[in-house]
Amino acid sequence: MVRLFQERPMSPTPSIERRRRWLSVLAKAPGPRLQALWQALGATPTYVVLRRPEIGLVMVQGRISGTGAPFCAGEMTVTRAAARLDSGEMGFGYVGGRDTRHAETVAAIDALGQRADWTERLEAELVTPLEREAEARHRLIAARAAATRVDFFTVAREAGT
């Protein structure tokens, strides 16, 4: 195989890593909760919708045993949107499902998060609370799953006596 260019591993900057984290948290957040926090911010800069929310499908890829050969696990409904602030920053929102308002809000927050004067406020009032709530939901799910755990070694040993 002939390569026309050398691929260089890029180390993401802290702002890129923050943006990735934010987009992940915002996309996974419950839509009504995100809307409530967005409204609680009060007056925010105006934005123009560059790409109105569109609903489509994406192919979800899985891996055998989590790290093995890739395979197509199926399709997933996704909504995407793009927005631009009047000051020029562009944001993009991709969310699972068919919630067009959620995708548009994520795009607006993504654009606003690129402004230095809004970064700390969005982190404190939107992203951090949503992240903590997601962690709490995951802990609750793990606790419920742990309550139903069966130790098969103990069951097998007791059955033999």
Side-chain angles (χ1 to χ4, degrees):
M1 176 165 74
V2 177
R3 291 195 175 189
L4 299 176
F5 60 91
Q6 178 74 25
E7 291 183 28
R8 286 180 277 154
M10 294 179 56
S11 57
T13 64
S15 63
I16 291 174
E17 283 300 320
R18 183 189 70 237
R19 189 174 181 195
R20 283 182 186 168
R21 189 179 114 257
W22 282 23
L23 287 172
S24 176
V25 169
L26 296 171
K28 295 172 188 172
R33 178 65 176 141
L34 178 62
Q35 292 302 321
L37 291 173
W38 176 245
Q39 297 300 319
L41 285 176
T44 56
T46 58
Y47 64 90
V48 175
V49 176
L50 294 176
R51 173 178 287 163
R52 65 178 181 74
E54 300 173 313
I55 299 169
L57 294 173
V58 295
M59 183 60 70
V60 178
Q61 187 180 64
R63 290 196 172 271
I64 296 173
S65 298
T67 57
F71 66 95
C72 292
E75 294 176 334
M76 177 179 168
T77 305
V78 175
T79 305
R80 69 178 180 175
R84 184 182 66 223
L85 299 179
D86 289 342
S87 55
E89 295 84 4
M90 290 192 335
F92 303 92
Y94 286 81
V95 298
R98 305 174 64 85
D99 190 345
T100 57
R101 185 72 185 134
H102 188 173
E104 183 179 321
T105 304
V106 170
I109 294 168
D110 180 38
L112 195 56
Q114 296 172 49
R115 289 184 42 171
D117 57 330
W118 277 88
T119 304
E120 288 181 27
R121 184 170 178 204
L122 290 174
E123 177 74 43
E125 296 181 33
L126 272 172
V127 179
T128 300
L130 290 171
E131 209 168 29
R132 286 185 183 144
E133 291 167 12
E135 290 169 2
R137 282 191 304 275
H138 286 117
R139 281 194 303 273
L140 180 62
I141 291 168
R144 286 180 182 163
T148 64
R149 183 176 177 182
V150 176
D151 184 356
F152 286 101
F153 180 74
T154 304
V155 171
R157 187 173 49 205
E158 289 177 1
T161 57

